[in-house]
Amino acid sequence: MTGSAADLRKQVLGLTDLAEDLTRGTELAFAAATVKQRVSGPLRVVIAGRANAGKSTLLNALLGERLAQTDAGECTRIFSWYVGGMGYGVRARLHDGTTEDLEFQRDQRHLEISLGGLSAEDVDRLEIKCPTSKLERLTLIDTPGFGSAHGGRSSAELGNVHRGYADAVIYLMRHAHRLDADFLEAFRDPSVVDVSPINAVAVLSRADEVGGARLGALESAAAITKRYAADPQIRRLVFAVLPLSGLLAETGRTLRESEVSQMRVLAESDASTLRELLTSVQHFLASDFVAISSEDRQQLLLRLGLFGVRQLVRDIRSGQVKSGPDVAQRLVALSGLHQLQSIIDEQFMQRADVLKSRSGLLALRRLARALAKIDEARAKELEGAVEQIAASSHVLAEIELLHMILAGLVSFEANERAEVERLISRIEPAQKLGLDAGAAGEKIRATALMGIDRWRTRGASPGIDRQTAAACDIVARSYEGIYALPSA
Amino acid sequence: MPPAGGSNQSAQHGEVELSVGAATAIAGAALRATRAHGRQDLERRLAAAVERMQRPDTVVCVAGEFKKGKSTLVNALLGTPVCPVDDDLATNAVTMIRYSSEPRAIVHRRDGDQLVTEQIGPAQLADYVTEHGNPENRRRVQLVEVGIPNRLLRSGLTLVDTPGVGGLSRAATRSTLSALDMADALIFVCDASAELSAPELDFLNEAVEACPLVITVVTKADMYPEWRRISSLTLEHLKSAEVSTVVVPASALLRIEAFNQQDEELNRQSGIPTLLRLLDERVVARKSERAAERAVRESAATVQQLRSVVATELTALRQPDGETAKRLEAARDRLSELSSAQARWRQILADGFASLSAAVEHDLRAALRVTATQLEEEIGKSDPASSWSEQSTKLQQDVAWHVRSAFLQVSEGADRIAGEVGQVIKDEIGFLVDERVEDAPFDLQSLWRDRTPESPSLGAQAGQAFTALRGAFSGVFMLGMLASLAGMALVSPAALAVGAVFGGAQVRSQRGRLREQRRQEAVRFAKQFIDDVQFEVLPRLRELQRDAHRELRDEIAARLQELGRTTQGSVTSLERAAKLDQDQRVARIKLLEGEVQRLDQVRSRAQALGAVS
């Protein structure tokens, strides 16, 4: 055993120092510094997907503030990094590495940023500083979204600029066919290489619009994600698929009292008026319903969508929600944001060290390859150091094995697969072994011992290929780790 | 929701009506004449021409990305739920909907290496065309034909609902594009959730090249408060890309509400009336105009046949001579020989199709082989982990292109053979009969591809409305086939294997140790795909050629029979003339002169319309 994920991260950080030394004076010095920053900095989670998939809306929902522009048209055309800080601030990082502070204005709808004399093409990314505890250990990255008819840089170009910037990815997709080329392509989005099912989650965004935004849209959306999640082709790409209504989440997190009272007025109307009003957007806006001005009705629709309005009317009428906070909570609960948040917490944040180390090592390998063109000896030195750490770390071996299994690159039986997934992805020893949370140390040790035995035998069975044998060895060592735990 | 600009091809509705009206009048006059002369064969031909004019064969394709509401829109246009609609799983087979007096549905699919055509109950449709009833198109459905007694379809309109394809720039959609030139119009469906995307714009850019009329429909306007802004953004994108199309915001839901509430304003807001008007004015009316031209030509030709019988008798009455009788009898005998099973033109026709068939297959195989070889070379020089996405797209694109070329080759080849055989027959009978008689009969090129969906002459004879697919319908078929191939390419076990090996960018970092394995997989996959394509396409091509061959043969035989009856009529009238005394002769001459005048009048009216020389 070579220690914990935190130890590994320290080792990788040490490697980045070495990389800085070895690249000093070369054109790669900047790249090496970037890798170092990356390994030492907060976890970077990229929100990716096609234009209009709802990336900025989700970002606002996660931050609980309306910062990113979310017009129905496309507007996010530059990578925006949302980082923690003491106050608000916007800084443009240019392609040449220099930075420039930008003017900005905060209004109710979003952060209005002025590029000043810069053109979008000059800017590598915007760094938007927000004073929120949510960004202390996490950086959220809003991407420009590919497939925009506005032109601009293609996703391939964007990919080259931002190669390997992400530690984890949330893919937003509209309701897609399982054979939808675009759907599959989304996972090949070159702007977020190094993505693996261990650090990627897919989100069926705009879930409230499924099936004509009628009541029950979210149930339909949940059924759709369930089907996706059962699809082996999709399981290979992400470890979970969740339904999400970014709009409901964003509005729930930023709801105003005036909006709540308007919804109450609306919900108190008589049933036939409501039926008429809620038939369609046209009915809702054209009606001579005087209790709420038509501008306010338009605003309500933009904030809640037709589904949100329909659902809240029902919930208020049934008495399920009453106060402003009720409404806000209800919206967030409906939206599916909690589930996404817990995936971010459990799968990304708790594993931050190993994810950081892993992406750091991948970046260092790339750096070594680039360095080989300049100075072969130095490249060899860097590569050697990288491989030594990569080969000796069991946590890394585990995460790579998990990647191989999830990506379908190692052929285990279904039950073996489930066992290994559980063993690697759970945190508590008892959970890892599939035992009750309160299982006694004796029981844990006995189960772990059986695991060691089983996987040693499996790895030594005749006719097994080298890759699978290596995989069996990793599993056996994971059991050994549990067996050796002092608490066990 | 009125359509927003984009195109300036305003329909000249009045003019079209005039031309169809005039053509109908002339055809009516010609019909009366054929009836008076007791020529049911010519009558049938004219009736078919009139039918074609009233119900021109128009094909309108509905395409767009997945889950944009294509099937819902088709149902809204028809005013009845024909296409299955679902929150989640959607249409996965090409569905062709056209008029039929009784509701019916026919499935064309592969069963082993057989092409199967089977009738199903309309209620079973979902079992064949949806992802739910037919997951991954396991039933290998290539095309479903649905016939319903529907007012809109009575005009001869055929709607083709296509499976949605995501990321429209991808190969699967190129397949749709390659079959689009068979359509008279394309309804491109996007929705009001977001402005037009780049792949959608790319698709439209190419679609306007292939299709004479493109109507962009922005659906779901009833659920997006910003539909107006989204529609105008979409229009702006189209304008700046110089894509000539009309943009119509629409809502199926508002259309239904409008019916329920009897609300004219809502109906207007639904956009469906606008769409129907566009289809009528810019698609159906234009096709009618073309059919009208042909009806006028056929009327003139028919009248000319009648006239030749009368003229022959008139000549004989004025100046009796034995020569004419001999010439006519020889012509009649010659025509009867030509109608026999051993006639030379039949052999020429059969040989023509045999060599066409061989050429088409050879060319397709050769083209696919070259594609495979080139791809193999490229794979050998690259690492599929990074290049496969592009390579597989190109593979599908190239293959779709070659398949399209093969279908075009059949279609053009059949035209050419029709021309050649027509010329042979003209040569053989030209010196025997009156030059003017064969004005139109052997202008065969346009015949085999231009048939009403349910023309009385064929439908009634064959006893079934949906027989072989012709002309434009072979295009629809091609579309169905390519769509099913595109689906297959993505789901076949080979593709899955490739997916596993290229499972993610991660693989790339594994120091190339799997590169050779990846290359082998990629080559194997490409070969498998090409084999599958040949397996699917070749039988369909053969079938198409068989149909074209049979139709041309029957068409020519029918024309020869018409001519035979005309000649026989002349012979009989000569015999009758010889038996008349002086007084009877004078009276008969007067009568016939009047008839010739009447027939000439019809003919000159046709000439006045400019459709006949």
Side-chain angles (χ1 to χ4, degrees):
Chain A
M1 297 300 291
T2 51
S4 68
D7 295 338
L8 174 64
R9 187 162 171 187
K10 277 187 205 121
Q11 288 175 318
V12 175
L13 206 53
L15 280 178
T16 62
D17 289 334
L18 175 67
E20 278 199 308
D21 286 346
L22 291 171
T23 55
R24 188 154 295 135
T26 74
E27 62 197 59
L28 294 172
F30 180 63
T34 311
V35 176
K36 181 174 181 179
Q37 254 175 27
R38 174 180 177 168
V39 176
S40 55
L43 193 77
R44 292 171 184 172
V45 177
V46 161
I47 301 176
R50 238 172 110 170
N52 291 312
K55 296 181 291 296
S56 301
T57 309
L58 172 61
L59 199 123
N60 289 341
L62 287 170
L63 292 175
E65 273 185 85
R66 297 180 79 186
L67 292 178
Q69 296 190 17
T70 58
D71 309 45
E74 324 160 24
C75 49
T76 338
R77 281 181 237 169
I78 306 176
F79 278 85
S80 302
W81 292 37
Y82 291 83
V83 297
M86 294 303 283
Y88 291 94
V90 180
R91 173 178 289 179
R93 191 169 286 276
L94 309 187
H95 294 301
D96 59 12
T98 61
T99 60
E100 204 165 304
D101 287 331
L102 297 181
E103 302 274 318
F104 66 95
Q105 269 186 329
R106 256 187 93 204
D107 65 18
Q108 268 195 339
R109 292 180 49 235
H110 54 250
L111 210 60
E112 182 75 49
I113 297 166
S114 155
L115 280 183
L118 296 171
S119 86
E121 275 68 38
D122 303 329
V123 181
D124 177 65
R125 64 185 192 237
L126 296 176
E127 287 174 2
I128 299 162
K129 219 163 48 164
C130 323
T132 163
S133 61
K134 298 185 181 79
L135 292 176
E136 267 168 22
R137 292 167 54 223
L138 180 71
T139 295
L140 288 172
I141 302 177
D142 195 7
T143 60
F146 47 97
S148 154
H150 284 290
R153 290 174 289 179
S154 72
S155 58
E157 284 171 308
L158 289 169
N160 285 331
V161 177
H162 284 263
R163 190 158 285 255
Y165 269 21
D167 297 314
V169 179
I170 302 171
Y171 281 113
L172 264 56
M173 56 193 195
R174 306 284 300 275
H175 186 188
H177 196 278
R178 62 180 291 282
L179 303 179
D180 192 329
D182 185 58
F183 173 78
L184 297 172
E185 206 162 39
F187 297 98
R188 297 204 193 103
D189 178 1
S191 63
V192 279
V193 290
D194 296 350
V195 168
S196 133
I198 56 170
N199 61 359
V201 58
V203 164
L204 177 74
S205 62
R206 304 181 74 157
D208 53 314
E209 293 170 12
V210 169
R214 60 155 197 278
L215 292 169
L218 295 179
E219 284 79 6
S220 269
I224 293 163
T225 52
K226 219 172 193 168
R227 189 172 52 78
Y228 285 153
D231 189 318
Q233 241 179 316
I234 290 170
R235 277 189 61 104
R236 251 205 293 275
L237 303 166
V238 292
F239 66 81
V241 190
L242 303 173
L244 182 92
S245 164
L247 187 63
L248 295 188
E250 184 197 45
T251 304
R253 283 268 168 103
T254 60
L255 196 67
R256 290 191 296 270
E257 193 50 46
S258 61
E259 292 166 330
V260 178
S261 30
Q262 283 162 11
M263 280 310 299
R264 270 200 212 101
V265 171
L266 184 64
E268 280 156 14
S269 315
D270 66 281
S272 70
T273 309
L274 275 176
R275 201 176 313 119
E276 155 94 25
L277 271 172
L278 299 180
T279 304
S280 73
V281 159
Q282 285 74 11
H283 287 79
F284 193 75
L285 295 177
S287 161
D288 44 13
F289 183 76
V290 287
I292 306 171
S293 75
S294 62
E295 290 77 30
D296 285 346
R297 271 179 275 150
Q298 170 89 16
Q299 277 308 311
L300 276 181
L301 271 186
L302 290 177
R303 286 277 281 163
L304 290 161
L306 199 52
F307 171 83
V309 173
R310 286 169 175 166
Q311 181 71 42
L312 274 190
V313 162
R314 193 172 76 163
D315 292 345
I316 295 173
R317 280 175 81 87
S318 73
Q320 189 178 352
V321 295
K322 293 191 177 75
S323 65
D326 274 359
V327 174
Q329 268 171 22
R330 175 70 175 150
L331 287 176
V332 174
L334 280 169
S335 73
L337 187 66
H338 292 317
Q339 288 83 336
L340 179 62
Q341 191 71 60
S342 63
I343 281 196
I344 294 175
D345 292 345
E346 285 163 24
Q347 302 290 333
F348 296 168
M349 300 304 291
Q350 287 194 19
R351 280 202 197 142
D353 283 333
V354 67
L355 291 180
K356 276 270 161 207
S357 305
R358 182 174 175 276
S359 48
L361 286 171
L362 289 169
L364 286 166
R365 280 196 185 119
R366 265 197 303 274
L367 192 64
R369 272 203 298 281
L371 186 59
K373 285 174 193 144
I374 300 169
D375 186 329
E376 212 160 321
R378 287 186 188 183
K380 276 238 161 66
E381 189 184 344
L382 180 59
E383 203 189 337
V386 167
E387 294 316 324
Q388 198 197 347
I389 287 175
S392 64
S393 165
H394 182 61
V395 274
L396 195 66
E398 271 190 339
I399 207 83
E400 289 301 340
L401 175 61
L402 189 58
H403 162 81
M404 300 285 272
I405 290 173
L406 292 173
L409 296 171
V410 183
S411 46
F412 279 166
E413 300 292 328
N415 59 337
E416 292 177 332
R417 209 185 122 126
E419 179 188 342
V420 177
E421 272 187 52
R422 187 183 61 216
L423 181 69
I424 297 174
S425 61
R426 294 303 173 90
I427 311 286
E428 292 302 316
Q431 286 181 329
K432 281 173 175 285
L433 299 175
L435 300 172
D436 293 334
E442 209 39 50
K443 175 90 178 154
I444 289 177
R445 284 166 63 89
T447 312
L449 204 56
M450 273 171 4
I452 300 171
D453 195 40
R454 200 165 55 247
W455 286 91
R456 288 275 174 241
T457 314
R458 168 92 159 82
S461 59
I464 198 166
D465 63 86
R466 234 178 46 203
Q467 207 173 5
T468 314
C472 291
D473 182 54
I474 296 168
V475 181
R477 282 171 57 199
S478 293
Y479 277 115
E480 283 171 14
I482 297 173
Y483 183 76
L485 279 175
S487 62
Chain B
M1 301 173 204
S7 159
N8 48 9
Q9 15 171 295
S10 69
Q12 294 153 323
H13 203 54
E15 235 171 84
V16 171
E17 249 180 359
L18 181 74
S19 141
V20 172
T24 310
I26 289 170
L31 263 172
R32 278 191 298 280
T34 49
R35 252 179 238 136
H37 286 256
R39 291 292 301 269
Q40 286 99 337
D41 53 342
L42 297 177
E43 200 182 319
R44 269 202 299 276
R45 186 169 144 200
L46 279 174
V50 171
E51 169 89 11
R52 246 192 320 269
M53 194 156 48
Q54 283 157 358
R55 296 211 275 141
D57 214 355
T58 46
V59 177
V60 174
C61 222
V62 182
E65 286 197 346
F66 180 71
K67 282 285 141 197
K68 294 291 179 187
K70 289 180 293 297
S71 298
T72 308
L73 181 69
V74 169
N75 291 345
L77 284 172
L78 295 171
T80 169
V82 174
C83 302
V85 172
D86 190 277
D87 273 7
D88 179 9
L89 300 163
T91 315
N92 69 356
V94 173
T95 314
M96 179 166 114
I97 307 153
R98 47 183 168 150
Y99 185 81
S100 126
S101 48
E102 292 291 322
R104 61 168 89 219
I106 287 168
V107 172
H108 299 264
R109 61 184 188 91
R110 289 295 293 250
D111 190 356
D113 49 5
Q114 295 288 308
L115 294 169
V116 189
T117 300
E118 57 194 15
Q119 185 140 1
I120 59 166
Q124 286 170 275
L125 200 58
D127 298 344
Y128 290 87
V129 303
T130 67
E131 191 64 30
H132 195 72
N134 177 22
E136 292 166 33
N137 195 9
R138 277 194 205 123
R139 294 174 192 259
R140 307 187 69 195
V141 175
Q142 292 186 341
L143 180 71
V144 177
E145 293 178 67
V146 176
I148 49 166
N150 182 279
R151 209 162 48 95
L152 174 67
L153 303 179
R154 258 210 90 82
S155 63
L157 185 67
T158 297
L159 288 174
V160 181
D161 188 16
T162 64
V165 214
L168 282 166
S169 63
R170 301 274 299 175
T173 320
R174 295 298 163 97
S175 310
T176 314
L177 275 170
S178 60
L180 256 191
D181 44 13
M182 56 80 195
D184 297 296
L186 167 72
I187 294 179
F188 181 80
V189 181
C190 51
D191 71 26
S193 70
E195 62 195 286
L196 206 65
S197 71
E200 286 177 320
L201 188 59
D202 290 348
F203 178 87
L204 277 171
N205 235 326
E206 289 184 44
V208 288
E209 298 289 315
C211 193
L213 174 69
V214 178
I215 304 171
T216 303
V217 178
V218 181
T219 56
K220 305 188 193 176
D222 54 86
M223 63 178 276
Y224 294 101
E226 302 217 87
W227 63 267
R228 208 174 257 119
R229 193 170 70 88
I230 296 291
S231 300
S232 66
L233 279 171
T234 291
L235 182 65
E236 264 169 49
H237 283 310
L238 290 166
K239 267 189 182 152
S240 55
E242 292 176 4
V243 173
S244 159
T245 171
V246 196
V247 175
V248 185
S251 158
L253 180 120
L254 289 187
R255 170 83 162 174
I256 295 167
E257 284 296 319
F259 268 108
N260 292 343
Q261 300 170 20
Q262 290 297 308
D263 185 332
E264 193 38 51
E265 172 59 18
L266 262 192
N267 186 34
R268 200 186 54 77
Q269 282 186 15
S270 80
I272 303 293
T274 307
L275 192 52
L276 289 172
R277 187 171 47 76
L278 284 170
L279 286 180
D280 186 42
E281 287 176 4
R282 300 208 186 165
V283 187
V284 178
R286 270 153 207 253
K287 268 311 248 293
S288 291
E289 196 174 9
R290 239 169 298 157
E293 276 171 30
R294 196 171 139 203
V296 171
R297 265 204 316 277
E298 298 234 13
S299 300
T302 313
V303 164
Q304 197 58 30
Q305 287 212 39
L306 300 176
R307 187 190 189 278
S308 77
V309 176
V310 180
T312 312
E313 188 180 348
L314 203 53
T315 315
L317 287 169
R318 284 178 186 143
Q319 281 178 313
D321 74 71
E323 280 306 299
T324 311
K326 266 188 214 150
R327 192 166 59 85
L328 280 171
E329 274 162 24
R332 184 195 56 197
D333 296 347
R334 187 78 196 96
L335 283 166
S336 128
E337 270 172 50
L338 280 170
S339 291
S340 77
Q342 290 78 39
R344 195 166 72 93
W345 65 266
R346 286 179 189 268
Q347 196 52 49
I348 294 170
L349 192 67
D351 290 349
F353 274 101
S355 69
L356 175 65
S357 183
V360 171
E361 277 190 33
H362 172 268
D363 291 358
L364 181 62
R365 282 181 201 277
L368 292 178
R369 203 160 41 235
V370 170
T371 300
T373 314
Q374 281 172 351
L375 183 67
E376 202 171 333
E377 269 172 34
E378 276 170 37
I379 290 170
K381 280 185 273 181
S382 62
D383 183 348
S386 55
S387 60
W388 176 249
S389 163
E390 204 176 301
Q391 282 164 348
S392 63
T393 305
K394 190 169 177 306
L395 170 66
Q396 290 193 46
Q397 221 167 298
D398 287 356
V399 166
W401 174 259
H402 293 317
V403 170
R404 176 182 176 275
S405 305
F407 271 82
L408 277 183
Q409 208 181 342
V410 172
S411 162
E412 284 164 9
D415 276 359
R416 199 189 60 243
I417 294 169
E420 282 168 12
V421 175
Q423 193 54 49
V424 167
I425 294 174
K426 267 187 199 171
D427 290 349
E428 294 206 23
I429 60 177
F431 68 97
L432 290 169
V433 284
D434 183 346
E435 261 303 306
R436 285 167 298 173
V437 175
E438 36 78 47
D439 251 356
F442 290 102
D443 175 20
L444 290 167
Q445 271 98 328
S446 61
L447 290 178
W448 74 276
R449 41 161 69 200
D450 219 55
R451 204 57 72 65
T452 33
E454 204 181 17
S455 73
S457 55
L458 274 158
Q461 267 172 14
Q464 54 185 120
F466 299 84
T467 50
L469 291 155
R470 320 174 171 81
F473 295 130
S474 74
V476 179
F477 228 114
M478 184 169 91
L479 178 66
M481 200 177 52
L482 289 171
S484 73
L485 279 178
M488 193 174 72
L490 285 164
V491 292
S492 73
L496 292 183
V498 172
V501 180
F502 309 158
Q506 188 51 39
V507 177
R508 243 169 281 169
S509 345
Q510 282 165 11
R511 283 151 287 167
R513 70 193 146 111
L514 291 171
R515 190 189 296 148
E516 201 37 53
Q517 192 193 337
R518 287 197 286 270
R519 283 179 182 158
Q520 284 168 11
E521 275 300 319
V523 168
R524 202 174 61 77
F525 170 75
K527 283 187 171 153
Q528 181 65 45
F529 177 66
I530 285 173
D531 279 355
D532 289 349
V533 168
Q534 291 189 354
F535 182 74
E536 295 282 333
V537 172
L538 290 177
R540 185 57 72 192
L541 279 171
R542 283 176 208 137
E543 197 182 51
L544 180 67
Q545 291 172 79
R546 251 197 330 271
D547 288 346
H549 182 183
R550 193 172 46 227
E551 278 180 35
L552 256 181
R553 193 187 55 211
D554 295 350
E555 202 59 58
I556 294 170
R559 292 305 147 92
L560 285 170
Q561 261 167 4
E562 281 173 9
L563 277 179
R565 279 194 65 176
T566 302
T567 318
Q568 178 57 44
S570 299
V571 171
T572 316
S573 66
L574 278 189
E575 286 164 2
R576 193 164 51 221
K579 288 181 197 143
L580 298 179
D581 62 26
Q582 187 55 32
D583 287 350
Q584 284 171 320
R585 188 169 301 212
V586 171
R588 180 88 185 146
I589 285 176
K590 198 160 186 162
L591 184 81
L592 293 181
E593 277 173 346
E595 183 63 19
V596 165
Q597 230 170 17
R598 268 192 298 281
L599 292 171
D600 280 348
Q601 254 173 15
V602 179
R603 189 178 159 79
S604 49
R605 272 167 67 195
Q607 275 168 330
L609 282 178
V612 197
S613 54

